[in-house]
Amino acid sequence: MALVGGAAEILMKFKILLSLILWINTFALSQAYEHPGQYRYPFIRPASSFTEPPSAAESRGASKTYDYIIIGGGTAGCPLAATLSQNFSVLLLERGGTPFANGNVSFLQNFHISLADTSQTSASQVFISTDGVINSRARILGGGTCINAGFYTRASASYIKRVGWDAKLVNESYPWVEKQIVHRPELVPWQRAFRDSLIEVGISPFNGFTYDHLYGTKIGGTIFDRFGRRHTAAELLASANPDNLHVLVHATVQKIVFDKTSKRPRAVGVIFKDENGKQNKAFLSKRPRSEIIVSSGALGSPQLLLLSGIGPKADLEKLNISVVLDNEFVGKGMADNPLNTIYIPTNRNIKQSLIQVVGITKLGVYIEASSGFGQSMDSIHWNNGIVSAEVSTMFLCVCLVYSNE
Ligand SMILES: *[C@@H]1O[C@H](CO)[C@@H](O)[C@H](O)[C@H]1NC(C)=O
Ligand SMILES: *[C@@H]1O[C@H](CO)[C@@H](O)[C@H](O)[C@H]1NC(C)=O
Ligand SMILES: *[C@@H]1O[C@H](CO)[C@@H](O)[C@H](O)[C@H]1NC(C)=O
Ligand SMILES: *[C@@H]1O[C@H](CO)[C@@H](O)[C@H](O)[C@H]1NC(C)=O
């Protein structure tokens, strides 16, 4: 009898568990596009969860203001928000969603699938330059690290000097990133052959595995781990002070708000649209060193400055945007790296790999390779910039040759 009683009890527990699972499922379905794990950290929320301070006039000095508002949660915005949140209150605004539960972003074998997805919710947004080159930019927390080929290297000493950074501080900062998201790659056969070929044609010396920027051939870092899982800049938010940071996703900033009462206009807040199309305003605290930081990418940053009234006066007036600051350089002088690709079709099954080995010549030419992302008749087709072979071959190896100076 004891056995039967025990079985009944187990059955009852099972029923409770089952109804709990069903309830969780219903709950999940009612949450529209939300996936479990999508928000990973409690400080990441959809933009619609934002509650505005009672009125714009009260807001500066009222409770909900920030020492820093960072526009753009990409490769720069995420680590910046994590660092500043140690000592200051920070609001990070990102127009895209999160990468955490997105298989297109998370796995190496989906690299091309992400680039091919041209839908509104894709992590990658296709654009065409004025001279007709197809390219992609990121639209997701983690930015370019969610859609690029994941190669990691330290900057060259000459670059650090040119941009005027503190070389010692830069050196001290590298391990912070490297410990969290960078891995040593396990070379696949194609990458080993590519390394040997570079050395054979004289891209020397061979520097082995190193993060340093050195002339010759080297094995660099990768943000893909040995299981082919991508680790993005969004993971650097793990280092944030959770009490000081708010991250809003699906928050599209439309304009920076300026206080024009003093002689020099001062950026005091932002207007952003949430995922339901509702407009919200967020403001800086009165701390004298409060700042709005624009880290919206090479295209997004000048675009936002222009929309906010910073740029060439004539261009702004043509669009009826009131001029805050006349600056002739905003939105001008943009250029990408010239790039040549060589495709090597093969009907053998080649293991997929992205950039692991690089050859760097003294002329500033970079030679890289990837493999296994071919297009067959029934595979996904795409035509996005650097990986745009319109060929019907099973497997493919690609050499990228580009110049950086
Ligand atoms: C935070 O403040 C402390 C004390 O002033 C300082 O030592 C530390 O470097 C600051 N951290 C950051 C990330 O700025
Ligand atoms: C992944 O990509 C496919 C096709 O490119 C698309 O249909 C799908 O919605 C994408 N998934 C996510 C989570 O974005
Ligand atoms: C930074 O590290 C590199 C090696 O990675 C070294 O060559 C350079 O001298 C260091 N710079 C400073 C200022 O410590
Ligand atoms: C230009 O802006 C002014 C005021 O901001 C507005 O009254 C006017 O209708 C706008 N004109 C156009 C063509 O959008």
Side-chain angles (χ1 to χ4, degrees):
M1 291 312 276
L3 189 69
V4 174
E9 199 182 319
I10 290 169
L11 191 66
M12 180 59 101
K13 281 184 181 160
F14 177 72
K15 278 184 179 166
I16 294 170
L17 187 67
L18 194 70
S19 55
L20 192 66
I21 290 170
L22 288 175
W23 181 77
I24 290 171
N25 265 340
T26 321
F27 184 69
L29 284 176
S30 68
Q31 299 269 306
Y33 57 85
E34 302 204 359
H35 296 271
Q38 188 182 2
Y39 295 119
R40 186 172 292 190
Y41 309 112
F43 48 79
I44 303 180
R45 300 298 311 149
S48 59
S49 70
F50 183 77
T51 43
E52 249 179 72
S55 85
E58 275 172 62
S59 64
R60 303 202 64 216
S63 54
K64 200 138 194 163
T65 61
Y66 300 88
D67 296 329
Y68 291 95
I69 297 175
I70 302 175
I71 307 168
T75 310
C78 287
L80 188 59
T83 305
L84 288 172
S85 74
Q86 299 308 319
N87 292 336
F88 304 103
S89 66
V90 179
L91 175 66
L92 176 62
L93 299 167
E94 166 56 42
R95 69 181 178 136
T98 76
F100 305 118
N102 186 333
N104 289 354
V105 168
S106 301
F107 300 104
L108 186 140
Q109 71 260 29
N110 294 342
F111 170 68
H112 58 314
I113 292 174
S114 211
L115 292 176
D117 180 6
T118 54
S119 70
Q120 286 294 309
T121 56
S122 174
S124 119
Q125 181 184 17
V126 171
F127 69 93
I128 303 174
S129 73
T130 43
D131 41 10
V133 179
I134 300 169
N135 211 328
S136 296
R137 59 174 173 148
R139 177 175 45 197
I140 190 165
L141 192 69
T145 59
C146 295
I147 65 166
N148 68 16
F151 187 77
Y152 173 88
T153 185
R154 293 184 173 191
S156 70
S158 64
Y159 177 81
I160 290 166
K161 205 168 161 197
R162 194 164 71 231
V163 295
W165 288 342
D166 173 345
K168 191 163 160 284
L169 187 60
V170 169
N171 271 11
E172 287 165 9
S173 304
Y174 285 135
W176 185 86
V177 176
E178 289 156 6
K179 269 190 231 144
Q180 296 184 81
I181 61 167
V182 187
H183 302 262
R184 177 181 182 151
E186 274 175 30
L187 295 195
V188 304
W190 164 250
Q191 295 282 339
R192 280 204 298 271
F194 179 65
R195 170 201 61 193
D196 296 345
S197 313
L198 288 173
I199 296 166
E200 200 175 306
V201 297
I203 316 294
S204 58
F206 176 56
N207 295 305
F209 166 69
T210 176
Y211 292 149
D212 285 336
H213 177 96
L214 300 169
Y215 292 116
T217 295
K218 72 164 185 172
I219 301 161
T222 172
I223 59 172
F224 291 98
D225 65 23
R226 63 199 176 90
F227 306 109
R229 203 180 166 92
R230 185 191 289 269
H231 296 270
T232 76
E235 289 179 33
L236 299 172
L237 292 169
S239 306
N241 175 353
D243 300 329
N244 272 348
L245 178 61
H246 284 155
V247 179
L248 296 179
V249 292
H250 304 298
T252 308
V253 177
Q254 298 174 307
K255 206 174 174 176
I256 300 166
V257 180
F258 291 91
D259 174 359
K260 292 182 220 160
T261 53
S262 56
K263 211 157 62 187
R264 267 176 69 120
R266 197 177 131 76
V268 292
V270 296
I271 298 174
F272 66 94
K273 206 176 65 174
D274 66 24
E275 69 272 27
N276 304 321
K278 182 173 167 279
Q279 260 192 355
N280 298 274
K281 289 193 184 105
F283 289 93
L284 288 177
S285 65
K286 283 190 171 140
R287 205 181 64 96
R289 297 186 59 192
S290 289
E291 274 182 41
I292 290 172
I293 297 170
V294 184
S295 52
S296 316
L299 301 178
S301 292
Q303 182 194 10
L304 182 61
L305 291 176
L306 291 166
L307 289 172
S308 307
I310 298 175
K313 194 160 178 263
D315 293 2
L316 296 174
E317 280 171 350
K318 222 184 295 163
L319 296 166
N320 204 7
I321 297 171
S322 66
V323 180
V324 174
L325 184 74
D326 179 14
N327 183 313
E328 60 175 313
F329 300 112
V330 178
K332 302 279 197 284
M334 179 75 171
D336 206 350
N337 300 313
L339 172 94
N340 290 303
T341 50
I342 301 161
Y343 294 90
I344 305 158
T346 168
N347 53 13
R348 289 230 305 257
N349 194 339
I350 300 282
K351 198 170 164 137
Q352 286 177 325
S353 74
L354 292 171
I355 319 301
Q356 300 183 324
V357 170
V358 61
I360 307 175
T361 73
K362 288 234 159 95
L363 290 172
V365 173
Y366 295 69
I367 312 168
E368 303 172 337
S370 74
S371 61
F373 290 94
Q375 304 186 49
S376 62
M377 292 310 281
D378 52 359
S379 79
I380 198 153
H381 280 245
W382 84 106
N383 182 16
N384 284 346
I386 60 169
V387 278
S388 58
E390 286 298 309
V391 289
S392 295
T393 50
M394 281 294 282
F395 302 101
L396 206 63
C397 302
V398 183
C399 279
L400 313 173
V401 183
Y402 66 97
S403 152
N404 199 33
E405 302 291 326

